[in-house]
Amino acid sequence: MTATSPRHATNSLHVATPRHATPPPPSETPPVAAPEPLARLSDVEQYRAAFERYRRGDWDDERWTAFRLRFGIYGQRQPGVQMARIKIPGGVLPIHWARAIARANRVHAKGDLHLTTRQDVQLYSVPLAATPALLEDLHAAGL
């Protein structure tokens, strides 16, 4: 057998490192960019403007429904109230987010909130008129 036969091959991979590839000194390390926000203030403003269009009658129910679903606002069977679904990236819920969600639930919703198997938080019985303020409060907390 030759040295190149599969029997003698190893599973390790050797990558050559250039001799000049040393990290820069700490004073020359480039700054780390801030993480991308989960939602932008312009998203919240867009929702508020669309809500006003719907409220004035410029948008019909079908157009409004398609729009609000993108923001995690879902209709409930009970008239006039919505369920708000808050996405938690990777299921990691920092304590300041948990407090902000609890506060939003007390102020804007009625009843208990639910943690889902898909790592979301759901708030129930949110009056439709309160949804813009709910989204603003969540955005202010970084959600």
Side-chain angles (χ1 to χ4, degrees):
M1 276 201 170
T2 65
T4 59
S5 73
R7 204 176 227 183
H8 295 287
T10 63
N11 289 335
S12 65
L13 176 65
H14 176 72
V15 177
T17 305
R19 292 181 192 166
H20 64 278
T22 57
S27 63
E28 296 178 23
T29 303
V32 177
E36 185 73 19
L38 299 179
R40 291 181 167 76
L41 182 58
S42 61
D43 296 333
V44 176
E45 292 165 350
Q46 182 184 23
Y47 182 89
R48 183 174 283 288
F51 173 75
E52 289 302 319
R53 283 188 216 103
Y54 173 71
R55 192 184 57 76
R56 285 191 314 259
D58 298 341
W59 282 13
D60 62 11
D61 286 339
E62 186 175 342
R63 185 171 184 186
W64 170 244
T65 297
F67 181 83
R68 68 177 163 73
L69 291 176
R70 294 186 350 217
F71 290 84
I73 306 297
Y74 298 83
Q76 290 184 216
R77 290 185 181 174
Q78 302 82 1
V81 293
Q82 312 296 306
M83 182 268 291
R85 181 172 294 143
I86 304 163
K87 301 284 186 185
I88 307 299
V92 177
L93 183 62
I95 191 68
H96 69 278
W97 283 2
R99 287 182 178 132
I101 292 169
R103 186 172 34 262
N105 190 60
R106 283 191 306 273
V107 171
H108 303 289
K110 294 184 175 104
D112 296 332
L113 56 81
H114 293 179
L115 300 174
T116 73
T117 57
R118 294 191 177 191
Q119 303 170 351
D120 301 330
V121 179
Q122 294 179 174
L123 286 67
Y124 293 93
S125 299
V126 179
L128 184 59
T131 57
L134 168 68
L135 294 178
E136 288 172 359
D137 288 351
L138 294 172
H139 176 268
L143 289 157

